[in-house]
Amino acid sequence: MNAGHECGAAVAADLLAAGEDWTGAVQAAEQALESPACRANARCVSRALGTLVCAGELVAADAHGLALLEERPGDQALAEHVVLAQACVARRTGDLARCSSLLALLRRDGIADEIRPVVLFSTVELLVARGEIEEAEAALLGHDAGGPLRRAAEAVVAMAQGRPRDALDRCLACGREAGVGNPAVLPWRSLAARAALACGDTGEALRLAVEEHTAAARWGEPRALGWSLSAVAAASPPDGEDLVVYERAIRLLDMAHARMELAEVLCDYGDRLILHGKQAAAREIYTRARATALNVGDTVLLRRVDEAVRGVAAPELTPVEAEVARFVCAGLNNKEIASRLAMATRTVELHLTRVYRKLGLSGRRELRATRWAWLHEGTLRTDRGAPGGPRG
């Protein structure tokens, strides 16, 4: 760097760690990535791209990374920092397949010591989401990276193995070692809150969650805000306000395109709706959670959603009501259904009214999107004897 020149990447990294000036951090990172001196330095590139990722500026981070790879095709040190940033972008948008391929590329080529902990944590988190717990544990054992990110990775594995007390201890150790309060960088308090909740310590869980949300609010990035709010909701008593907090968290995570977190929070919200006796609403939320988990590729969460749904007693439809509902899902209108079932159109309408009331729906569009329709997908018929596809 030139004498007297303040490195924009260092400024960005400092502002990110402090977690109180989102605008200043993003501006400093952008300035660094436009500076020839910073663009030529792999460490500066890493800091600037990392700041953009943690600020939720994922499109900008990806665009800068691609431009740098084209500009300096033979710079291996630069390339590994860019690839790591791309993997982090993929993880934050819930593109686990792309994240996995990028992390595999880094593991194959060997990486600089300063990014080894990030690669370890990201790899472990990905393996756990896929249900590959033994592989995640093996990754920990085969990796000599230390520091707070290793503690966080150990906590993720401990939670997956049903050892919340160990997870909590490692989260707290992570917090002590990290020295970074910004949850957009490392949301250790949210993970600790969930571990404390699993240990039955709701007071500690709520304290950690509120502390995390306070820090996230100072930073202002939707993903960090939504994730911390979901921890607050999970630790809150079922007094009605908890549902409002869950809904706010879901909106923020949706806004941030944080699909992996969104899928988990949707499932948590469904569980909480069941606690409030809102089975019909819970079924709809589970449907959305399942679709999101399937899209992301989170097999563990997918199993959790399916188990939750099996535990929710579906309203019993009479055989005729079920038949009418299947025809609706197959795309037939009331007149066509009446013709197929040899009954008056008014009778079809009465049956549909009962179906909507039992399933807690407002009309045929909602019926076609429900868990009931998904469960009965293989039985949809356009007439009494032959399978049929959607119409109209």
Side-chain angles (χ1 to χ4, degrees):
M1 296 295 161
N2 296 329
H5 171 74
E6 188 175 28
C7 172
V11 171
D14 288 344
L15 290 173
L16 173 64
E20 296 182 355
D21 186 359
W22 180 94
T23 301
V26 170
Q27 288 176 346
E30 291 281 8
Q31 289 167 5
L33 291 167
E34 292 168 4
S35 160
C38 281
R39 288 174 73 86
N41 186 298
R43 183 170 176 79
C44 286
V45 166
S46 182
R47 285 176 162 182
L49 290 179
T51 297
L52 290 179
V53 170
C54 293
E57 295 294 292
L58 305 181
V59 174
D62 241 357
H64 280 297
L66 289 171
L68 284 162
L69 290 176
E70 291 179 3
E71 180 183 309
R72 306 175 67 85
D75 191 333
Q76 181 60 35
L78 177 78
E80 66 184 26
H81 287 284
V82 171
V83 169
L84 178 58
Q86 291 175 329
C88 290
V89 168
R91 158 62 184 84
R92 288 187 179 231
T93 56
D95 190 347
L96 298 193
R98 182 170 184 249
C99 180
S100 177
S101 64
L102 290 167
L103 290 174
L105 181 63
L106 286 171
R107 291 195 299 270
R108 183 174 68 243
D109 291 344
I111 51 176
D113 288 344
E114 63 263 29
I115 64 174
R116 286 170 65 81
V118 183
V119 173
L120 172 63
F121 177 75
S122 300
T123 299
V124 165
E125 192 180 39
L126 183 69
L127 290 169
V128 167
R130 291 178 167 177
E132 300 171 9
I133 312 302
E134 291 182 2
E135 291 81 351
E137 193 170 27
L140 277 172
L141 293 173
H143 213 295
D144 59 1
L149 280 171
R150 182 181 185 87
R151 302 290 167 264
E154 291 170 345
V156 169
V157 171
M159 281 294 286
Q161 293 175 331
R163 298 185 289 111
R165 177 55 61 186
D166 289 341
L168 179 58
D169 290 344
R170 282 161 176 74
C171 284
L172 296 177
C174 169
R176 287 192 296 269
E177 293 179 32
V180 176
N182 190 343
V185 179
L186 184 58
W188 65 269
R189 296 181 198 85
S190 289
L191 181 56
R194 286 167 169 80
L197 200 59
C199 293
D201 191 344
T202 55
E204 177 69 354
L206 188 57
R207 183 192 70 78
L208 286 161
V210 169
E211 188 178 320
E212 180 94 313
H213 181 59
T214 301
R218 285 197 297 267
W219 180 239
E221 189 269 323
R223 176 180 176 271
L225 272 169
W227 186 236
S228 63
L229 262 182
S230 72
V232 172
S236 298
D239 55 5
E241 182 63 25
D242 56 326
L243 299 184
V244 176
V245 177
Y246 267 122
E247 288 160 8
R248 287 173 56 203
I250 288 166
R251 285 195 297 271
L252 286 162
L253 293 171
D254 208 9
M255 182 191 310
H257 305 292
R259 294 182 298 165
M260 194 168 172
E261 288 82 1
L262 178 61
E264 183 169 348
V265 175
L266 283 167
C267 193
D268 290 343
Y269 182 40
D271 294 346
R272 187 57 67 99
L273 285 167
I274 295 296
L275 192 61
H276 281 270
K278 299 177 180 289
Q279 277 79 3
R283 281 192 293 275
E284 294 309 299
I285 292 297
Y286 285 140
T287 299
R288 187 179 172 194
R290 188 182 196 281
T292 307
L294 189 63
N295 185 262
V296 167
D298 191 327
T299 55
V300 171
L301 192 59
L302 197 58
R303 287 197 297 268
R304 179 186 159 194
V305 173
D306 286 343
E307 288 171 5
V309 169
R310 283 194 292 271
V312 181
E316 286 293 328
L317 302 184
T318 68
V320 175
E321 289 167 353
E323 188 82 345
V324 170
R326 291 189 187 99
F327 279 129
V328 169
C329 292
L332 277 67
N333 61 37
N334 289 358
K335 186 175 180 181
E336 290 170 325
I337 296 171
S339 175
R340 299 297 176 101
L341 297 179
M343 63 176 61
T345 304
R346 176 59 180 161
T347 305
V348 171
E349 293 170 355
L350 290 172
H351 284 306
L352 270 179
T353 298
R354 295 190 194 101
V355 168
Y356 298 148
R357 185 173 63 249
K358 286 183 178 181
L359 297 180
L361 307 174
S362 62
R364 62 204 313 123
R365 180 176 300 213
E366 285 191 11
L367 175 60
R368 289 171 185 164
T370 59
R371 178 88 182 165
W372 188 92
W374 173 64
L375 287 170
H376 294 81
E377 185 177 12
T379 67
L380 301 184
R381 313 162 85 81
T382 54
D383 61 47
R384 283 184 180 274
R391 294 180 50 183

